[in-house]
């Protein structure tokens, strides 16, 4: 707890689970964190060997923060914390960040309802590959080359669809989602993550 027990530290790790991010991207995913607090948490996590800072080569030449192997080893802990938290309905009016939503999907995924397939998911411009293989769910940041179904939407819509509050078809009809590829597989997506 000395390493990740400070306020915001676990949430910084959550935001980096699916890949490196720039400072501004981290702040956007951590609603309410001040730049000074985020800088301090990043310094602390870097000093503890959980996060590393790298600079992308030209032409970008920007600083990116990413998890070390030690930081990635915290994923099961975050999943279990998510399971614990999902037992109570979220009362906050704030929307989940895209990374928080991806962790939430891992938290409530029901392998008994799964059908093998690969989804290319574009959420607010962030690409993810969601793979279901032999009842196991994998989520990685990046672009899928041979996805069975592609879904493009925003975080709020994906949250409603994934957790059964809206069908993908109704989100499409409202213009908040686009689907291509295997539409039957895409329609099943909202049934993989039952919440009580």
């Amino acid at each position: 707890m000395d390493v990740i027990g400070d306020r915001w530290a676990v949430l910084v790790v959550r935001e980096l689970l699916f890949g490196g991010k720039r400072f501004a991207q981290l702040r956007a995913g951590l609603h309410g964190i001040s730049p000074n607090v985020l800088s301090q948490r990043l310094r602390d996590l870097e000093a503890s060997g959980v996060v590393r800072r790298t600079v992308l080569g030209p032409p970008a030449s920007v600083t990116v923060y990413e998890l070390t192997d030690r930081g990635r080893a915290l994923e099961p802990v975050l999943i279990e914390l998510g399971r614990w938290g999902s037992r109570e309905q979220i009362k906050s009016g704030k929307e989940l960040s895209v990374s928080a939503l991806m962790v939430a999907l891992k938290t409530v995924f029901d392998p008994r309802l799964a059908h093998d397939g690969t989804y290319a998911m574009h959420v607010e411009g962030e690409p993810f590959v969601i793979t279901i293989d032999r009842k196991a769910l994998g989520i990685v940041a990046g672009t899928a080359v041979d996805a069975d179904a592609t879904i493009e939407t925003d975080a709020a819509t994906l949250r409603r669809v994934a957790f059964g509050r809206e069908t993908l078809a109704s989100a499409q009809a409202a213009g908040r989602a686009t689907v291509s590829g295997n539409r039957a597989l895409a329609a099943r997506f909202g049934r993989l993550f039952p919440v009580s």
Side-chain angles (χ1 to χ4, degrees):
M1 291 308 294
D2 287 340
V3 174
I4 60 165
D6 287 332
R7 185 168 189 233
W8 296 102
V10 171
L11 299 177
V12 170
V13 171
R14 178 200 69 196
E15 288 300 306
L16 294 173
L17 270 181
F18 301 102
K21 292 187 176 180
R22 296 185 322 263
F23 188 88
Q25 291 173 307
L26 281 169
R27 257 200 91 207
L30 297 167
H31 310 292
I33 193 169
S34 73
N36 290 342
V37 171
L38 179 55
S39 293
Q40 185 60 52
R41 289 305 160 264
L42 287 167
R43 280 192 299 272
D44 294 345
L45 290 167
E46 190 174 4
S48 299
V50 173
V51 169
R52 81 174 137 249
R53 182 179 6 175
T54 60
V55 177
L56 297 179
S61 298
V62 296
T63 300
V64 174
Y65 298 90
E66 59 189 14
L67 294 178
T68 63
D69 289 341
R70 184 175 191 211
R72 281 189 295 280
L74 288 167
E75 181 176 359
V77 174
L78 290 171
I79 299 298
E80 287 306 315
L81 283 170
R83 284 193 179 115
W84 173 79
S86 69
R87 292 183 187 138
E88 297 288 326
Q89 187 153 12
I90 297 173
K91 293 174 177 58
S92 171
K94 294 179 184 173
E95 197 52 58
L96 294 175
S97 71
V98 176
S99 292
L101 182 54
M102 293 300 147
V103 171
L105 294 179
K106 285 186 160 203
T107 299
V108 296
F109 172 71
D110 188 340
R112 297 169 300 174
L113 305 173
H115 299 276
D116 286 0
T118 302
Y119 298 88
M121 190 70 62
H122 299 272
V123 186
E124 298 183 10
E126 292 186 47
F128 292 88
V129 180
I130 299 177
T131 307
I132 301 169
D133 184 24
R134 285 174 261 184
K135 309 288 185 186
L137 175 71
I139 302 176
V140 296
T143 305
V145 177
D146 294 325
D148 299 307
T150 300
I151 301 171
E152 294 184 43
T153 190
D154 58 80
T157 301
L158 180 60
R159 182 179 180 186
R160 284 192 300 275
V161 168
F163 300 143
R165 296 184 186 105
E166 179 179 17
T167 66
L168 189 55
S170 68
Q172 265 191 284
R176 289 181 281 105
T178 59
V179 177
S180 59
N182 184 331
R183 292 181 180 279
L185 184 69
R188 284 190 215 118
F189 186 79
R191 297 190 290 268
L192 301 174
F193 312 97
V195 291
S196 47

